[in-house]
Amino acid sequence: MITSVKGTRDLLPPETRVFTRVEAIAKDVFALYGYDEIRTPHLEQTELFVRSVGESSDIVHKEMYSFTTRGGQNVTLRPENTAGVARAYIEHGMAQSGFARKLYYVGAQFRYERPQEGRYREFRQIGAEALGPADPATDADLLVMLFDFLSRLGFAGLAVALNSVGTEACRPAYVEALRAYLAPHAGKLGEDDRRRLTQNPLRVLDTKDPALAELIAGAPRMLDLLDEESRAHHEELLGYLEAAGIPYRIEPRLVRGLDYYTRTVFEVTAGGLGAQDAILGGGRYDRLVSDLGGPKVAGIGFAIGEDRLVKAVPDEFRRAAIESVNAVALVALEKADRADALALAAELRRAGIAVDLDATGRGPGHGLKAAEKRGARVAVLLGGRERETGSVVVKELATRRQTIVPRTELAAALSEGRKGS
Ligand code: HAM
C-alpha cells in the first residue's frame, strides 16, 4: 500500500467543511479592510528565502525542501509566503502605483520539521501583507483586522503578544549586549543554540531548550535599547490598540524565527494546542523589499497556521460549519426508479436544494442506512408506488418521522424544513 508522505496529511470531510468556512470568512473580512488576494507559486528560487527569511533561521538552516531542477536551477518549496509576496510585488512593479498594496493569501507551505500534533511538513497558512506605509496606524489596522477575523470564528479571550525588535539603527547595539550577556553561559547551550549565539544571538531567545528559561528571562530587553523613532512607533501603536480595544501583552523577548523583521513583531497563541500553541505570527519588515532589490517600501503582515486554527476553533463554529452542508438524500428504491430519481434530483437542484442521489436501487433499508452514514438529515424515498401516486416519502432521519408529500410540493416542503432547523 502506498501511504501519504510523512508529515503530510489528507484533509477529509467533514473536516474540510471547517477549512472551507474559515477561508470564506477570512476572505470576507479581509475584503472589508481593502485586501485583495494574491496567489504566488509554491516553488521559488532558493536564493529568495536565503536572502529574506535568513541563513540564521531554522527554516533556511534545516527545514527547507530544496532541490536542483533538471535544468540546474536551485529551487525550494515555499516554507512561508511573505518572501514570495515581496518578490511578486517587486517583479510586477506594484510599488509604482504609489499607494498601499494590501494582499492576502491562503495556501500550502512546506517545512522539513519533526512532525507532531499540530506540526506538519506540509501545512496551510492564511496570511495578509500590507506593503507601502510604515506608520504605526497601519500596524494597528492590520491587528484590528486579525482580531475581527478571529472573533467572527467565535474566539474569545485571545491576546496578542507584542514586542519591537527595533531597526538597524539600534539592533546592533542590542545584539552586542545580548551576546555579552549570553557568552559566559555558552557552555550551557546545546549545539543549535551555540550556532545561534555565533550567527545571530537573537535566535537564542527563541530556544526550544526549557533549561534555559531562567537565563533567557534575565536577558537584556530590546525595548530598553530602542532608538527614539522605534520607541515612538511602538508607543503610538499601543495607543491605537488600546483605543480599538485589542487585548495585548508586551512580550519583551519575543523575536520571531525569521530574519526580516523590524520594529513590531507579534504572535497569538491559543490554549489546548499543546506545545505547538502559536496559531499565528507576524510583524513589520521595512527592509525586506529593498533587500530583495526592490524600492524602499515598508511592509507588515501576519500568517495564521490554518491547521492549528481549525484545531482550536470553538466547538460551536465547528458544528455549524459541518452542519452547513446538508444535502437531502434522494433514494431510488429500485433500479426501475433511477430515471425518475434523476429527474426529481434535477428539479430539486434547480430550486436550490442540495441533493445527494443514491441510485443504487437496493431498497429502503439500505437506502436509509447509507443516508444516515453520509450525515443526511432528511431522506426522500422514491419507489414504484410513489411514482404511481406522484408523491414521495420524506423521512426525518433523527426522529424517524415520515410524511407523504406530493412531488409538486416537495421543493417547498424541503425548503420549509431547512428554515425550521
Ligand atoms: P511563522 O511564525 O513562521 O511566520 O508561521 C506562522 C504560523 O504558521 C505559525 O504561527 C504556525 O501557526 C504556522 N506554522 C508554522 N510552521 C508550521 C508547521 N510545521 N505545521 C503547522 N503549522 C505551522 C511566517 O511564516 C511569516 N511569513 C509570518 C508573516 C507574515 N510575517 C509577516 N508577514
Side-chain angles (χ1 to χ4, degrees):
M1 189 177 66
I2 300 174
T3 60
S4 60
V5 173
K6 185 175 176 190
T8 72
R9 62 192 187 130
D10 302 305
L11 302 178
L12 306 175
E15 191 72 355
T16 40
R17 296 180 186 176
V18 188
F19 277 81
T20 303
R21 188 92 192 101
V22 162
E23 288 164 18
I25 294 176
K27 290 176 181 189
D28 283 352
V29 174
F30 296 171
L32 284 176
Y33 288 77
Y35 283 72
D36 253 320
E37 186 177 12
I38 184 166
R39 301 187 193 197
T40 64
H42 289 74
L43 210 52
E44 296 275 3
Q45 297 192 43
T46 300
E47 179 74 7
L48 174 67
F49 303 111
V50 176
R51 281 174 51 190
S52 56
V53 176
E55 260 167 315
S56 81
S57 67
D58 280 1
I59 295 177
V60 170
H61 182 68
K62 55 183 182 187
E63 294 170 358
M64 294 209 299
Y65 279 92
S66 300
F67 59 96
T68 309
T69 64
R70 290 173 199 273
Q73 196 174 25
N74 294 322
V75 297
T76 293
L77 283 176
R78 64 183 187 196
E80 62 95 76
N81 217 157
T82 309
V85 169
R87 190 230 1 101
Y89 177 84
I90 300 166
E91 193 168 333
H92 302 286
M94 288 193 234
Q96 282 160 18
S97 56
F99 51 83
R101 290 308 295 250
K102 300 180 182 172
L103 302 164
Y104 75 82
Y105 48 83
V106 176
Q109 318 293 332
F110 303 84
R111 296 185 193 176
Y112 196 78
E113 294 194 77
R114 194 166 51 78
Q116 62 182 75
E117 186 67 38
R119 192 162 75 194
Y120 310 100
R121 289 178 172 173
E122 181 194 34
F123 59 98
R124 284 138 280 265
Q125 284 185 342
I126 299 176
E129 315 287 347
L131 290 134
D135 60 90
T138 300
D139 305 26
D141 196 41
L142 182 92
L143 286 166
V144 168
M145 174 172 89
L146 181 57
F147 272 76
D148 192 350
F149 169 57
L150 293 172
S151 61
R152 283 175 207 231
L153 303 184
F155 282 104
L158 294 179
V160 58
L162 201 64
N163 193 19
S164 173
V165 293
T167 63
E168 66 282 6
C170 52
R171 200 164 33 218
Y174 175 66
V175 169
E176 273 330 297
L178 195 57
R179 201 191 298 277
Y181 170 81
L182 292 171
H185 305 279
K188 288 187 215 155
L189 306 184
E191 192 190 323
D192 265 353
D193 287 327
R194 266 207 304 278
R195 173 181 62 79
R196 294 183 178 123
L197 180 57
T198 15
Q199 269 188 336
N200 180 358
L202 279 185
R203 294 273 83 81
V204 182
L205 298 181
D206 252 353
T207 181
K208 296 187 175 81
D209 182 354
L212 298 180
E214 211 174 306
L215 179 68
I216 301 300
R221 297 157 28 115
M222 184 72 228
L223 286 177
D224 297 329
L225 293 170
L226 289 180
D227 66 325
E228 211 27 61
E229 266 184 68
S230 289
R231 179 182 317 285
H233 184 103
H234 182 64
E235 274 159 21
E236 199 176 322
L237 169 60
L238 299 190
Y240 295 139
L241 293 182
E242 269 150 41
I246 301 298
Y248 71 84
R249 61 171 196 280
I250 304 292
E251 196 84 62
R253 283 162 194 102
L254 179 69
V255 288
R256 311 263 307 121
L258 305 91
D259 284 354
Y260 49 62
Y261 291 114
T262 50
R263 297 200 169 139
T264 310
V265 290
F266 55 88
E267 273 181 9
V268 173
T269 54
L273 291 176
Q276 306 303 321
D277 63 355
I279 52 171
L280 68 94
R284 182 160 275 294
Y285 45 85
D286 292 346
R287 291 197 43 168
L288 176 62
V289 174
S290 55
D291 281 353
L292 289 174
K296 268 180 112 35
V297 164
I300 182 164
F302 62 77
I304 304 170
E306 192 182 2
D307 304 77
R308 294 184 193 173
L309 182 75
V310 163
K311 188 154 178 266
V313 286
D315 285 345
E316 206 175 313
F317 179 88
R318 170 180 305 277
R319 208 171 317 120
I322 288 174
E323 284 171 7
S324 69
V325 184
N326 201 318
V328 166
L330 174 59
V331 182
L333 294 182
E334 288 168 33
K335 285 185 184 157
D337 303 315
R338 280 177 178 164
D340 212 29
L342 278 166
L344 181 56
E347 211 177 287
L348 294 175
R349 288 171 185 147
R350 269 196 300 276
I353 294 166
V355 177
D356 181 4
L357 176 64
D358 174 357
T360 50
R362 292 170 68 183
H366 180 275
L368 287 174
K369 210 181 277 166
E372 246 164 3
K373 270 232 167 88
R374 288 206 303 276
R377 217 170 34 232
V378 173
V380 173
L381 307 182
L382 181 66
R385 193 166 34 157
E386 285 74 29
R387 271 191 291 133
E388 263 165 41
T389 57
S391 63
V392 289
V393 174
V394 176
K395 193 149 189 150
E396 261 181 54
L397 291 167
T399 57
R400 297 268 152 191
R401 212 180 56 187
Q402 181 169 311
T403 39
I404 310 277
V405 179
R407 270 176 71 153
T408 49
E409 292 167 23
L410 181 60
L414 291 173
S415 301
E416 209 37 54
R418 263 194 318 197
K419 269 183 245 147
S421 66

